[in-house]
Amino acid sequence: MRGVFAGPLRALGVRLLAPPPPAGDRLADGYLAELDRLSAEHGPLLVGGVSFGAHLSAEWAVRNPGRCTGLLAALPAWNGPAGRAPASLAARLSADLVAENGVDGALAKSSDGVPEWLSAELGRAWRRHGDGLAASLRTAASHPAPSLEDLKGLDVPVGIGTCVDDPIHPAEVARAWADALPCAEVGESTLTALGADRESLGRATVLAWLRAR
């Protein structure tokens, strides 16, 4: 979150709050509760996230229209139930790898043949979850995203960021979200750009949000 969004938001004078992931199977409910807490403390929020974080932010925004001023959704992976969405299948396979091999063993297998930057991101992110990683991955794989019908009722400016060469987070999903939302724009980048500069995805998402406003 900080790597993607801190710089682009700082340029707009927006303070970034990035709470650590709740442990294990509390990943979804814990983050939604944390957004409730932050809203009670700070007032209406501009919420956002990457991948599963985008799903949870959108879910919270749909539930709390009076407490949300906008949404930054980077790399949404599906809408409604996960079904056989590529990101859900990848998370389930990763959970099995972790359960069978431990975090370090799973990272060694998951990093084989992937770009160095992605391997580094996986290592940093996965180790933060500790012993609850497998449960966190299974929660992310099975938790429904907002349906397109849900998104139709979210009347706040929404910026959606997508990498057009990302098969795990298809650009078609980002465009479907934008078509359903009353006030949304899509910003495009690539995985190549993301590998060189994490903020490239944040800039695409934030610029889309500015256009939506």
Side-chain angles (χ1 to χ4, degrees):
M1 279 295 294
R2 291 187 181 93
V4 169
F5 283 116
L9 290 176
R10 189 184 307 115
L12 299 179
V14 177
R15 178 187 175 198
L16 175 66
L17 301 172
D25 58 9
R26 291 202 66 255
L27 182 67
D29 293 341
Y31 263 136
L32 293 170
E34 179 66 8
L35 287 172
D36 285 339
R37 187 191 70 79
L38 290 171
S39 177
E41 180 178 348
H42 298 283
L45 302 175
L46 167 63
V47 295
V50 179
S51 189
F52 186 57
H55 295 189
L56 292 179
S57 298
E59 179 179 344
W60 187 86
V62 166
R63 292 182 183 181
N64 298 275
R67 295 197 284 171
C68 179
T69 62
L71 172 64
L72 301 172
L75 305 182
W78 63 81
N79 50 268
R84 296 187 61 79
S88 175
L89 295 176
R92 293 176 194 275
L93 289 172
S94 296
D96 291 343
L97 277 177
V98 171
E100 294 167 6
N101 301 278
V103 174
D104 288 335
L107 283 169
K109 292 178 180 292
S110 298
S111 298
D112 186 26
V114 306
E116 184 176 344
W117 71 267
L118 181 54
S119 175
E121 287 291 335
L122 284 175
R124 181 193 55 76
W126 282 15
R127 289 190 174 97
R128 294 191 72 192
H129 288 268
D131 294 339
L133 175 60
S136 293
L137 287 166
R138 290 194 174 100
T139 296
S142 61
H143 191 81
S147 69
L148 296 181
E149 191 65 29
D150 291 333
L151 294 176
K152 289 178 182 179
L154 181 57
D155 192 15
V156 298
V158 180
I160 304 172
T162 188
C163 290
V164 295
D165 54 350
D166 184 353
I168 301 297
H169 306 88
E172 291 79 6
V173 173
R175 296 183 186 116
W177 279 40
D179 288 343
L181 287 155
C183 185
E185 295 286 342
V186 175
E188 295 184 350
S189 187
T190 65
L191 290 177
T192 301
L194 182 60
D197 175 12
R198 305 296 183 271
E199 290 185 1
S200 60
L201 178 60
R203 287 193 298 272
T205 308
V206 170
L207 286 171
W209 174 68
L210 291 172
R211 291 199 304 269
R213 296 179 71 203

